[in-house]
Amino acid sequence: LTKDAAEIAALEDVAHRSNAVVAELAAMLSTSPVAGDRLLAPGGEPLTIRHVKALIEDACARHGLEQPDGNIFAIGADAAVPHNEGDPDDVLALGQAIIFDFFPRGKGGGYYHDMTRTWCLGYAPDAVQRAYADVMGAFDQVVERLEVGQLCAGYQVLTCDYFAARGHATILSDPRTEVGYVHGLGHGLGLEVHEAPSFRAIPGNTDTLEPGMVITIEPGLYYQARGFGVRVEDTYVCDLDGAFRSITPFPKDLVLPVRGA
């Protein structure tokens, strides 16, 4: 449940390298040539998710990371299914929402990092911008209220109430919903991608936030019929003095400018 100072330092090291990979990918996408509304790969063919995943794998190797569980890079309607890893043959197009969920660990084993960014290349449609604003509102509200000793489940309830007040279905009002907010707020992180504590708002979950915990915060909204999903995720450390801080500094801008657009 909790990590000591050496473990936190190891987690921070993996976080630093993970954020560097994401930065390299973002820079590549931003400088890609465009034909019509499609990005092009270096050889001139349409840039696909297959190309992107190969680039991610190459960057991981250079930064001493591995991806035993792969990653999520899903576009459009696929991004509205939280665990959809993305169709390798899908072409990257301007204006479509992309969910990039990246959860590598140090090469050869060890601690993980976990982060998610939602990007629209070039521009974002109004519906995606509105959903993204709601997700960021939920994210900021939770982060502002993180406090040692508080029940983790309470933050899931807080998030559900926030989304419900803005007209979104939630897993709390309908546990079987496939639209709106459909999953838990976060989880513990360490030698496994998913560890305790749990944020699930279920009877019997008495997990509380404690010094030394490393957790993710990852609200999201999903609308498959409307062709998009959005999610934002940072990894947070609760230092031994009880202060919470993100170790995922990569910017949370929705629109990723594309020079060729």
Side-chain angles (χ1 to χ4, degrees):
L1 278 171
T2 60
K3 279 71 177 174
D4 62 23
E7 291 177 295
I8 290 173
L11 282 151
E12 289 178 311
D13 177 59
V14 175
H16 176 76
R17 288 182 276 153
S18 301
N19 280 261
V21 170
V22 176
E24 288 184 14
L25 178 62
M28 184 280 294
L29 295 176
S30 289
T31 56
S32 293
V34 176
D37 67 344
R38 294 183 165 194
L39 273 66
L40 301 179
E45 70 271 29
L47 183 68
T48 65
I49 289 177
R50 191 186 313 278
H51 289 116
V52 169
K53 295 212 173 195
L55 290 165
I56 295 168
E57 188 68 26
D58 179 66
C60 282
R62 286 186 282 103
H63 287 278
L65 300 172
E66 63 184 15
Q67 302 177 94
D69 302 303
N71 60 61
I72 292 171
F73 196 94
I75 297 174
D78 284 351
V81 181
H83 293 108
N84 191 319
E85 293 185 357
D87 184 338
D89 295 322
D90 276 352
V91 175
L92 274 64
L94 300 177
Q96 289 193 332
I98 297 168
I99 286 182
F100 177 31
D101 192 341
F102 185 46
F103 35 95
R105 69 181 181 186
K107 190 172 182 178
Y111 292 94
Y112 282 84
H113 189 62
D114 196 359
M115 61 185 293
T116 304
R117 293 295 182 264
T118 299
W119 291 329
C120 284
L121 302 173
Y123 71 94
D126 290 344
V128 178
Q129 288 182 328
R130 288 192 295 270
Y132 194 78
D134 285 348
V135 167
M136 283 305 306
F139 182 96
D140 291 341
Q141 179 177 252
V142 168
V143 168
E144 289 170 2
R145 300 189 185 190
L146 292 175
E147 184 179 349
V148 167
Q150 294 297 308
L151 284 169
C152 295
Y155 294 99
Q156 173 75 339
V157 173
L158 178 70
T159 303
C160 287
D161 289 347
Y162 182 93
F163 282 138
R166 284 152 182 79
H168 303 287
T170 77
I171 195 172
L172 195 61
S173 59
D174 178 6
R176 294 184 294 179
T177 186
E178 295 182 354
V179 299
Y181 180 52
V182 303
H183 56 66
L185 176 65
H187 52 83
L189 183 75
L191 292 173
E192 301 291 339
V193 176
H194 295 93
E195 297 185 350
S198 169
F199 284 80
R200 291 186 297 170
I202 57 174
N205 181 14
T206 59
D207 290 350
T208 57
L209 295 175
E210 302 298 338
M213 283 185 171
V214 179
I215 58 172
T216 69
I217 302 296
E218 50 181 303
L221 291 170
Y222 307 90
Y223 289 99
Q224 189 172 24
R226 298 166 67 185
F228 71 87
V230 298
R231 182 167 69 253
V232 172
E233 176 186 24
D234 276 11
T235 294
Y236 272 81
V237 169
C238 181
D239 283 324
L240 302 183
D241 62 0
F244 289 86
R245 58 187 175 86
S246 172
I247 56 172
T248 313
F250 189 83
K252 297 182 180 67
D253 300 324
L254 171 60
V255 175
L256 195 63
V258 178
R259 189 176 62 189

